[in-house]
Amino acid sequence: MSIAYSFFPWVRQGAAAAIRDADPLTQPLPTEVAFPLALQLNTGDRVVVDLRLHGPADVVGIDRRQVIRTEPPNRTNNFLPNYFPAIEFDHPGFPWLFTPAKAEAQQGRLRPWLCLVVVRKQAGVTLRAGDPLPVLDIRTPAIARDELPDLSESWMWAHAQAMQDGSSLEDALDGPRGLSRLLCPCKLKPHAAYYACLVPTFEAGRRAGLNLSLTDANKTSLRPAWVSGENAPVEIQLPVYYHWEFSTGQAGDFEFLARQLTPRELPPGAGARTLQVGNAGIAHYEDFGAVNFAGVFRPAQFNSPLLPPLNTLPNVQRDWVQQLQETLEHNDDSADLDADSNADPIVGPPIYGHFQQSLLSLPGQSSWLRDLNLDARNRIAAGLGVLFVQAHQEDLMHSAWQQLGEVQQAQQQARQSELDQAVGEALYAKHFLPAVDRETLLYQMTAPAHSGVTVEVGETPQTVTGWAQQQQLPEAGTLATFRKLSRPQGPVSRRMQSTLAGNSPGNSTKPLLKQPLAIQAAETGPTDPKALANTLKPLASVVGELANRVSVWQQQATDNQAADRAAAAFSRLRPHLEKFLGDEVAPKPAPKPFNKGLQNQLVAALDPKKTGFFKLNQRSVRPLNATDASAEAPMAHPVFPQPMYEGIREFMPELLFPGADRIQDNTITLMETNPQFIESFMVGLNHEMARELIWRDYPTDQRGTYFRSFWSQGQPDLEELHTWQVRDRLGSNLSDGHTEGQLVLVIRGELLRRFPNTVFYAVRATSPSSFATDEEKYPLHRGQLTDDAIFVLFDLTEKQVRGEDGSHGWFFMIQQQPTEPRFGLEVEDWDKVALRGNYLAVSETGEDEIATLTAHTDATWGFNGAHMADITFQTPFRIAIHGKRFL
């Protein structure tokens, strides 16, 4: 559904909507408006009183929360001089709230009670504190008539706005998309500083804001706060309801600046640093040579493979790596030392990641542990993570201790869940597995779980309860009361068997019922009432036998209370059984048996190895990994959700993208992320945090993954380290599943300095020169690369952007923020309009110029505020660049 802006010349709500007198525009207004208000209670007398509305003279301040946006924002230093400054209010009728008149009928013109003025900072212009409001003071040598707009045209620069999406106009205005706006049609000078002030438009409001008494003339009518032309004041003081400051930059709108962005190749050497590997404290090999070292971002075509296998390295490099490996493998606290020897223990570089993998040495085959620990480039990235933890150890431990209560609770829950699972497995093996061979017993035993267990019956999965209902099985055999009464090893059966043992020895081991009623009825499969009656005859005798046993037990039992309770329970149950046995049943298809397949599915669904892990996952503060039941999950541990790329910016910002400061201004280019660097840095963070926790006596097994978020707060970018497969290569363990880098759009230019909220996204190309907006990709993350450059991360690879996956590739879109409308004139159009001082004079602009200015719209020049808003509205601009141009 499309959404469009709608502009309105005025909005009145509440009692003010009943004002009858139209605004004469050029004449004074009454100071106040009163309505006769009639009140009558029941049959009493009718009382008429005057309801007086507040006017401009009653206002000595506004609620600053009404201001929702200023254009430009406060302290902006590069605002486009061809745009209009503006201020927006939350209330759609705010500019006309205290105007004591209604809009004139033909063109909808209504003067606002306040307006926006923009005054250049210069000698004679001051903004000072006052009582009750700040005061804008314009004195010589500043010229007041040039710095203030013509109030006879103030109605042209106020309007209301709604974003309609099919809802009613009232809902659009009253909802969050409805607002009002004041424009200031001032021609700004490039590279100049300005005050933007919200001031009253009526003299009564000006005097009230300055705490001055009203003159006789202002007590009877509302006159403008100032006049323009020859009678304009030389000096003036104005109360200010709201103000901010800004400066302008060079002329040029969004389109102009966006077109200045040029896809360029990066300067030589940008994106990589030369790393000299020679003396790392292990051995000195001056001839080792240099390797290219990339940071978090690297050029999209940067080729930096992992260090090749040892058998392919030059001799000098091979010796260096071998000696590094030997040093790592002997760097162990358990190394054998002669008790009488004074030799120092070996303390060397760490094996990053060995805590989480529970390893003391490097694996012999290719793995991410070898990639990380034997490649100097990756060790540098991991060491950067170590430095971050060491620098912030106090803050990190403070957070860890705050999380200790939750961690200990999670650990206790984990231990309890392990006990629950062990007990459950024992009960499962003792009772459930043997019951598979006794299907009727299994059916009755598992009855409470039938509604929550899904089984495959034919092509349609359904619960066991649903299957039983579909087979029209009687529910009596699975009722809780009957199960308690008739279960073979239940207390009733045992006591009755013990009581009757002397009279009927055969009953001493004979259960009351061999099978639940529901299954007995199902197995016979009755097809007509007569067959059902014959089937139920044995069951009827069972009920009679049960009644006799209860009676005998009451007479002979030593525990009278238990016997009485059993007799009372049976008396309540007996009518239901007799009704069940006496009802005639309509013919029905024979039910399907509770076959072996259903039994196996039911038993498998109740396996504690599944239900126990599910329970553990639900209760843990940090869910444990349940993908492999044989793998022991680490203890619960503290979690730090901060985006850790900011840590790199803090310690060594040049490692985000080496040579970023050499990117030319107004450049747009594509880079890609470096998965090896990111994983190495994150492993270093987690490795050092594990050491810090054990040093501080924190309860931990050092196998936790404490840092998982690299780009965004709380969004995991890294799989947990204990789940990494040893044979995986470094760079293949990120949560996005990519083994190659994701593309990053980098922009440096004046566009971002003036329009920091510029929108970036990607659309799929339908041909080398066209695209469709039905498939779009929005950024995964957006951040600051340097002080004047940003990066935008996309879930795209170089092959996809080029179109090497069988498509036409992708376009990257650069779009002006559509939810922040701007108003003004094109740079060349300012030469076509008439000016009165520094302000646009609508009534003095020539017809030929007006035709040019309104050629893009059906609005009429100078008709009302809504038409002027439509004419001066700057349509959001968008530019598309195919990704191939960057590559």
Side-chain angles (χ1 to χ4, degrees):
M1 180 180 296
S2 62
I3 298 177
Y5 289 120
S6 296
F7 300 123
F8 306 92
W10 56 269
V11 169
R12 302 303 291 268
Q13 296 174 313
I19 298 177
R20 298 180 179 179
D21 297 329
D23 187 352
L25 299 180
T26 59
Q27 301 297 323
L29 290 168
T31 55
E32 63 182 41
V33 176
F35 300 103
L37 181 64
L39 178 64
Q40 183 176 5
L41 296 178
N42 298 331
T43 59
D45 296 335
R46 186 170 182 267
V47 180
V48 179
V49 296
D50 286 338
L51 176 65
R52 177 183 174 273
L53 299 183
H54 288 299
D58 300 306
V59 181
V60 291
I62 66 171
D63 186 351
R64 298 177 68 88
R65 291 174 298 180
Q66 278 293 323
V67 179
I68 57 177
R69 176 176 169 247
T70 62
E71 180 61 29
N74 189 32
R75 303 291 182 181
T76 297
N77 59 9
N78 55 3
F79 184 60
L80 299 180
N82 57 302
Y83 279 6
F84 293 160
I87 185 169
E88 294 177 358
F89 307 102
D90 182 61
H91 193 291
F94 190 78
W96 310 276
L97 194 61
F98 299 106
T99 301
K102 73 173 184 178
E104 54 91 21
Q106 294 183 349
Q107 295 177 306
R109 300 172 177 178
L110 180 63
R111 282 178 287 181
W113 63 276
L114 73 177
C115 70
L116 180 64
V117 300
V118 173
V119 181
R120 185 169 60 88
K121 293 182 180 181
Q122 55 185 296
V125 174
T126 58
L127 183 60
R128 55 181 175 82
D131 183 25
L133 294 171
V135 177
L136 175 64
D137 201 343
I138 304 177
R139 299 179 181 274
T140 307
I143 303 174
R145 68 171 178 269
D146 292 341
E147 302 296 338
L148 298 175
D150 186 352
L151 291 181
S152 65
E153 295 182 348
S154 61
W155 48 268
M156 295 187 187
W157 308 113
H159 64 269
Q161 172 189 297
M163 293 179 65
Q164 292 182 272
D165 55 357
S167 59
S168 66
L169 178 58
E170 292 183 359
D171 292 340
L173 285 172
D174 293 337
R177 297 175 178 175
L179 55 87
S180 54
R181 182 184 294 110
L182 291 174
L183 302 176
C184 181
C186 180
K187 183 178 182 181
L188 305 176
K189 296 182 178 181
H191 306 293
Y194 288 88
Y195 293 117
C197 302
L198 193 63
V199 301
T201 58
F202 295 103
E203 177 65 13
R206 187 185 77 88
R207 299 186 70 84
L210 295 174
N211 202 16
L212 302 175
S213 60
L214 294 177
T215 63
D216 292 338
N218 286 304
K219 289 180 179 179
T220 59
S221 62
L222 287 178
R223 301 177 182 276
W226 65 85
V227 294
S228 299
E230 296 179 356
N231 298 322
V234 177
E235 299 178 347
I236 194 172
Q237 292 181 342
L238 295 172
V240 178
Y241 300 124
Y242 188 93
H243 67 88
W244 74 98
E245 304 176 18
F246 68 91
S247 299
T248 56
Q250 189 62 38
D253 56 11
F254 186 94
E255 178 180 356
F256 174 80
L257 296 175
R259 293 186 181 279
Q260 301 305 306
L261 294 176
T262 304
R264 291 189 176 94
E265 292 186 3
L266 294 170
R273 299 184 64 178
T274 300
L275 181 65
Q276 295 290 341
V277 181
N279 185 5
I282 302 170
H284 184 67
Y285 294 103
E286 296 180 354
D287 298 330
F288 183 93
V291 294
N292 287 332
F293 176 66
V296 176
F297 304 129
R298 61 191 183 193
Q301 294 175 316
F302 182 76
N303 184 18
S304 178
L306 297 170
L307 209 60
L310 291 181
N311 56 4
T312 64
L313 289 175
N315 292 336
V316 174
Q317 295 184 7
R318 186 186 313 141
D319 292 343
W320 189 90
V321 173
Q322 285 180 335
Q323 187 163 356
L324 172 60
Q325 180 175 351
E326 292 174 2
T327 303
L328 293 175
E329 292 177 348
H330 286 84
N331 180 26
D332 185 1
D333 293 337
S334 63
D336 293 333
L337 293 175
D338 188 346
D340 298 330
S341 174
N342 294 324
D344 292 329
I346 299 175
V347 178
I351 301 178
Y352 293 115
H354 79 91
F355 292 128
Q356 288 77 11
Q357 289 284 314
S358 300
L359 296 173
L360 295 178
S361 61
L362 293 176
Q365 70 276 17
S366 298
S367 70
W368 66 269
L369 280 164
R370 294 180 65 87
D371 295 339
L372 171 57
N373 287 282
L374 298 180
D375 191 325
R377 297 164 297 185
N378 299 328
R379 291 192 65 88
I380 288 177
L384 191 61
V386 172
L387 291 177
F388 178 88
V389 173
Q390 292 175 349
H392 295 274
Q393 57 186 343
E394 298 302 328
D395 293 335
L396 291 172
M397 285 306 307
H398 177 71
S399 176
W401 289 118
Q402 285 185 322
Q403 299 180 51
L404 181 60
E406 294 181 354
V407 170
Q408 289 178 329
Q409 182 181 6
Q411 292 174 352
Q412 178 61 24
Q413 289 175 346
R415 290 190 289 268
Q416 291 175 348
S417 295
E418 291 175 3
L419 177 60
D420 293 345
Q421 184 167 331
V423 173
E425 290 177 357
L427 294 175
Y428 179 76
K430 180 178 180 180
H431 297 289
F432 284 85
L433 292 181
V436 174
D437 296 329
R438 302 174 61 188
E439 63 275 9
T440 56
L441 179 60
L442 177 65
Y443 183 83
Q444 184 179 13
M445 182 188 303
T446 60
H450 288 176
S451 62
V453 176
T454 301
V455 292
E456 296 284 345
V457 181
E459 298 181 355
T460 306
Q462 56 185 325
T463 63
V464 178
T465 299
W467 171 83
Q469 292 174 349
Q470 189 179 40
Q471 302 306 310
Q472 301 183 22
L473 293 181
E475 297 181 2
T478 58
L479 292 177
T481 304
F482 187 78
R483 291 202 314 272
K484 291 180 180 179
L485 187 63
S486 63
R487 55 185 173 149
Q489 300 301 322
V492 175
S493 294
R494 291 199 307 270
R495 287 171 182 170
M496 293 179 67
Q497 293 164 13
S498 176
T499 302
L500 298 175
N503 299 329
S504 180
N507 289 336
S508 60
T509 58
K510 179 182 178 181
L512 186 61
L513 286 177
K514 294 183 178 179
Q515 296 178 333
L517 288 178
I519 296 301
Q520 290 188 20
E523 288 179 343
T524 58
T527 57
D528 57 72
K530 184 177 180 179
L532 177 62
N534 293 330
T535 301
L536 296 181
K537 284 180 180 179
L539 300 180
S541 63
V542 170
V543 176
E545 180 184 354
L546 181 61
N548 293 332
R549 291 190 184 186
V550 172
S551 177
V552 172
W553 186 28
Q554 279 188 292
Q555 296 174 7
Q556 299 181 2
T558 56
D559 188 351
N560 294 328
Q561 293 182 351
D564 291 342
R565 287 197 300 270
F570 179 73
S571 65
R572 292 193 299 269
L573 177 63
R574 184 170 183 172
H576 298 286
L577 292 176
E578 291 177 344
K579 183 177 184 300
F580 166 71
L581 296 174
D583 287 346
E584 292 188 359
V585 180
K588 64 176 182 179
K592 296 179 181 179
F594 188 57
N595 57 40
K596 203 71 172 180
L598 289 176
Q599 297 170 47
N600 291 335
Q601 292 184 58
L602 178 58
V603 172
L606 298 176
D607 189 343
K609 292 182 179 179
K610 297 180 179 179
T611 59
F613 266 105
F614 175 78
K615 183 179 180 182
L616 187 64
N617 272 321
Q618 293 296 98
R619 295 176 61 183
S620 296
V621 173
R622 184 198 58 78
L624 304 182
N625 178 40
T627 56
D628 184 3
S630 64
E632 182 182 355
M635 294 173 60
H637 52 263
V639 175
F640 307 101
Q642 297 87 344
M644 296 315 302
Y645 91 91
E646 295 179 353
I648 299 177
R649 287 193 60 202
E650 175 184 349
F651 276 97
M652 201 172 289
E654 64 271 16
L655 287 185
L656 279 177
F657 183 70
D661 55 335
R662 301 204 301 271
I663 298 176
Q664 298 183 42
D665 202 19
N666 291 325
T667 291
I668 180 170
T669 188
L670 270 181
M671 297 187 293
E672 66 180 9
T673 58
N674 186 351
Q676 290 84 14
F677 184 99
I678 295 173
E679 287 190 11
S680 301
F681 174 72
M682 298 296 285
V683 171
L685 285 170
N686 287 285
H687 178 91
E688 184 63 18
M689 195 66 216
R691 297 179 68 246
E692 189 66 29
L693 290 176
I694 204 70
W695 171 255
R696 303 291 185 110
D697 292 329
Y698 194 94
T700 180
D701 59 1
Q702 296 185 286
R703 297 183 61 233
T705 305
Y706 319 100
F707 301 89
R708 295 186 64 192
S709 301
F710 187 79
W711 297 113
S712 302
Q713 178 85 10
Q715 297 295 324
D717 298 297
L718 195 75
E719 296 293 343
E720 293 182 288
L721 296 182
H722 74 277
T723 67
W724 291 17
Q725 299 299 314
V726 174
R727 292 182 179 274
D728 289 344
R729 302 306 301 268
L730 189 68
S732 63
N733 300 285
L734 297 177
S735 299
D736 55 35
H738 289 294
T739 57
E740 54 185 313
Q742 294 175 302
L743 287 186
V744 180
L745 195 65
V746 175
I747 307 98
R748 182 182 186 184
E750 184 68 18
L751 176 72
L752 275 301
R753 292 188 281 271
R754 296 199 184 190
F755 298 91
N757 294 329
T758 299
V759 177
F760 298 91
Y761 61 99
V763 297
R764 183 179 291 277
T766 56
S767 72
S769 59
S770 62
F771 57 87
T773 57
D774 57 347
E775 186 173 359
E776 301 175 346
K777 279 188 178 291
Y778 291 91
L780 298 176
H781 185 73
R782 173 173 172 166
Q784 205 73 26
L785 183 60
T786 63
D787 292 339
D788 59 350
I790 70 166
F791 69 88
V792 186
L793 176 66
F794 289 93
D795 184 20
L796 290 169
T797 63
E798 180 181 348
K799 292 182 179 179
Q800 291 174 324
V801 170
R802 287 182 180 275
E804 295 177 0
D805 58 349
S807 67
H808 294 284
W810 289 78
F811 280 90
F812 289 95
M813 315 299 290
I814 306 171
Q815 179 175 300
Q816 190 173 0
Q817 178 57 257
T819 61
E820 296 180 355
R822 290 176 171 85
F823 300 83
L825 300 177
E826 301 295 337
V827 176
E828 60 275 11
D829 289 340
W830 275 104
D831 297 330
K832 302 174 184 177
V833 299
L835 297 176
R836 187 179 297 115
N838 297 329
Y839 290 82
L840 191 157
V842 175
S843 58
E844 299 177 13
T845 301
E847 293 184 1
D848 293 339
E849 288 76 11
I850 291 174
T852 302
L853 296 170
T854 59
H856 66 288
T857 178
D858 295 331
T860 302
W861 182 264
F863 188 79
N864 58 33
H867 281 242
M868 293 305 297
D870 186 67
I871 293 171
T872 59
F873 174 71
Q874 297 293 295
T875 304
F877 180 78
R878 180 177 68 182
I879 189 171
I881 306 175
H882 198 286
K884 284 185 177 181
R885 294 192 60 189
F886 305 114
L887 301 173

